[in-house]
Amino acid sequence: MSAVSTDDLRASYREALQHTNALTDRISTDQFSAHYPDRPDWAIGPFARDESLTFRLDGQWDDPTGIGWTSDSIFNPTVIERDGELHLFYRASPRKESTSSRIGHAVRREGVWRDSPANPVIYPTEANEVLGCEDPKVYRIDGRYVLFYNAIWRLPETGEVACDIMAAVSDDLEHWEKSGLVVPYEVSQYWAKGAVIPRDGAGNAVRIGGEYLMFLSEGCGGRPMVGHSDDLLSWRFEEQPYLDLLDLGGSLHEVACAAVVGDDLVLDFFYGDADGEFAAAQALYSTSDPYRQLAVHRGGSLSWGGLQRIDGDWAFAQGWDAPRGVREMYFYRSTEPTPKAPTA
């Protein structure tokens, strides 16, 4: 794949600075996860903010692309723990929910957040990343780490926006080597979003039936696709229905994450309800039968980067509720315990 053009990056950044969306500007984490109407035993959550874990990004990174890029919003992160320290990977954008994003990294040591001097750890270098690198998802596998992110670009023939799932690997969560495209174009049809892989409470990718699964829910020509892999890097995909919203009404937007709790597999997802309003829900499966939905329940985290255990609680982070122009990331903990411990 060819390198990205500086002129194209500059044009993308100028476009992002003009972005506004009244609908997404009013999204609040609490509207999805602060209250569940009738919580079944298997559901994860609801969640309440833990102010002690708030991360704030001060200053501006040096811009490795040389276009004068800056950010005013951070959101859609992933969290993972390593050696007693929390690692936060987050999307930084010129405007909330705009394109021209980069991915940053911060570490919480001895109760203090420190932003990485290596930031941005992922930024556009390839032609299919010209409109940004977005929405990190990190998984541990055999002592290493794989980070999936969305690469945004335009199809040269039509100018339509395309979205690729890309991957990068690391041994230390600080230095990342890009490994390239994950979902081939004959599968994605130039739009695949969200590398949702079953993950336990420690951030480990969990094998289901002896292999790793990836649930694709947005794009792929409207087909529900599931990926299969032995190493998180090489994937084969097949059409596989797995989610039924009949009891909820409405239509699916995107699966956010997949949590393994003992023998349970819980998919947390974003959908439009019967009234057309944004909503979250969770669906229950068994790890022995990961495509047969056992139950569904309104209320979910919409943790795009996956749920993480912190001091025994299920937790996640999100920056949607930060005031305009304030780069803060808030953490949310489960307020009701789940009965089963996560897979080791």
Side-chain angles (χ1 to χ4, degrees), residues 79-95:
V79 179
I80 194 167
E81 188 173 9
R82 181 185 185 221
D83 297 332
E85 298 174 343
L86 284 180
H87 290 255
L88 173 71
F89 293 86
Y90 56 90
R91 173 178 170 183
S93 295
R95 297 290 183 267

Side-chain angles (χ1 to χ4, degrees), residues 177-233:
E177 180 180 354
K178 293 180 178 180
S179 59
L181 185 69
V182 174
V183 184
Y185 293 131
E186 58 266 26
V187 174
S188 73
Q189 297 185 27
Y190 297 99
W191 190 278
K193 194 175 182 184
V196 174
I197 296 165
R199 192 176 105 147
D200 68 15
N204 299 298
V206 176
R207 290 182 181 271
I208 306 290
E211 61 184 357
Y212 299 107
L213 302 180
M214 179 188 294
F215 293 89
L216 298 179
S217 54
E218 183 176 320
C220 301
R223 300 168 296 163
M225 304 294 290
V226 173
H228 304 261
S229 177
D230 290 323
D231 60 3
L232 295 192
L233 296 177

Side-chain angles (χ1 to χ4, degrees), residues 52-79:
S52 70
L53 291 175
T54 296
F55 167 72
R56 182 184 179 103
L57 178 60
D58 296 316
Q60 292 288 347
W61 304 331
D62 291 336
D63 175 23
T65 67
I67 64 170
W69 182 93
T70 59
S71 65
D72 87 341
S73 183
I74 57 175
F75 52 100
N76 289 5
T78 186
V79 179

Side-chain angles (χ1 to χ4, degrees), residues 242-261:
Y242 58 84
L243 191 57
D244 182 358
L245 271 62
L246 184 62
D247 289 344
L248 293 173
S251 58
L252 178 67
H253 291 315
E254 185 179 354
V255 174
C257 62
V260 175
V261 190

Side-chain angles (χ1 to χ4, degrees), residues 1-338:
M1 191 169 289
S2 60
V4 68
S5 157
T6 300
D7 288 342
D8 289 342
L9 284 175
R10 189 173 288 112
S12 168
Y13 177 51
R14 287 196 299 264
E15 180 181 345
L17 290 173
Q18 306 305 312
H19 175 82
T20 183
N21 186 317
L23 193 59
T24 57
D25 283 350
R26 67 176 173 82
I27 285 178
S28 169
T29 301
D30 284 341
Q31 76 189 71
F32 303 111
S33 61
H35 173 72
Y36 292 1
D38 297 302
R39 179 188 179 277
D41 289 343
W42 58 266
I44 303 175
F47 297 84
R49 190 186 300 184
D50 181 351
E51 301 285 357
S52 70
L53 291 175
T54 296
F55 167 72
R56 182 184 179 103
L57 178 60
D58 296 316
Q60 292 288 347
W61 304 331
D62 291 336
D63 175 23
T65 67
I67 64 170
W69 182 93
T70 59
S71 65
D72 87 341
S73 183
I74 57 175
F75 52 100
N76 289 5
T78 186
V79 179
I80 194 167
E81 188 173 9
R82 181 185 185 221
D83 297 332
E85 298 174 343
L86 284 180
H87 290 255
L88 173 71
F89 293 86
Y90 56 90
R91 173 178 170 183
S93 295
R95 297 290 183 267
K96 182 181 176 182
E97 295 285 354
S98 76
T99 55
S100 195
S101 298
R102 303 348 183 197
I103 293 172
H105 172 220
V107 185
R108 185 175 174 85
R109 296 188 174 101
E110 299 178 350
V112 178
W113 283 108
R114 294 177 175 84
D115 204 46
S116 172
N119 281 335
V121 291
I122 300 289
Y123 61 93
T125 58
E126 306 293 333
N128 71 330
E129 299 171 346
V130 66
L131 295 184
C133 301
E134 305 179 350
D135 302 351
K137 299 178 187 288
V138 174
Y139 303 91
R140 183 188 294 107
I141 174 174
D142 300 329
R144 301 192 76 198
Y145 303 89
V146 179
L147 182 152
F148 296 90
Y149 63 97
N150 299 331
I152 312 299
W153 56 297
R154 293 187 189 278
L155 297 175
E157 299 85 0
T158 65
E160 293 181 6
V161 176
C163 181
D164 294 337
I165 295 177
M166 307 286 282
V169 296
S170 175
D171 292 317
D172 60 6
L173 290 172
E174 184 78 17
H175 304 92
W176 294 90
E177 180 180 354
K178 293 180 178 180
S179 59
L181 185 69
V182 174
V183 184
Y185 293 131
E186 58 266 26
V187 174
S188 73
Q189 297 185 27
Y190 297 99
W191 190 278
K193 194 175 182 184
V196 174
I197 296 165
R199 192 176 105 147
D200 68 15
N204 299 298
V206 176
R207 290 182 181 271
I208 306 290
E211 61 184 357
Y212 299 107
L213 302 180
M214 179 188 294
F215 293 89
L216 298 179
S217 54
E218 183 176 320
C220 301
R223 300 168 296 163
M225 304 294 290
V226 173
H228 304 261
S229 177
D230 290 323
D231 60 3
L232 295 192
L233 296 177
S234 299
W235 293 87
R236 60 179 179 83
F237 294 88
E238 62 184 14
E239 186 170 352
Q240 173 64 65
Y242 58 84
L243 191 57
D244 182 358
L245 271 62
L246 184 62
D247 289 344
L248 293 173
S251 58
L252 178 67
H253 291 315
E254 185 179 354
V255 174
C257 62
V260 175
V261 190
D263 295 327
D264 289 350
L265 171 65
V266 178
L267 295 190
D268 190 293
F269 61 92
F270 180 41
Y271 74 105
D273 67 15
D275 297 321
E277 296 294 323
F278 287 163
Q282 295 176 353
L284 174 67
Y285 307 78
S286 167
T287 55
S288 62
D289 195 354
Y291 311 130
R292 185 170 68 89
Q293 183 174 308
L294 301 174
V296 67
H297 177 261
R298 178 156 180 162
S301 70
L302 295 192
S303 172
W304 307 113
L307 291 161
Q308 173 74 30
R309 290 276 192 180
I310 298 178
D311 299 330
D313 295 330
W314 285 105
F316 68 97
Q318 184 54 271
W320 284 340
D321 291 300
R324 182 182 294 273
V326 174
R327 293 172 300 167
E328 288 183 340
M329 190 73 67
Y330 305 122
F331 279 71
Y332 301 81
R333 289 179 184 263
S334 56
T335 60
E336 297 183 40
T338 48

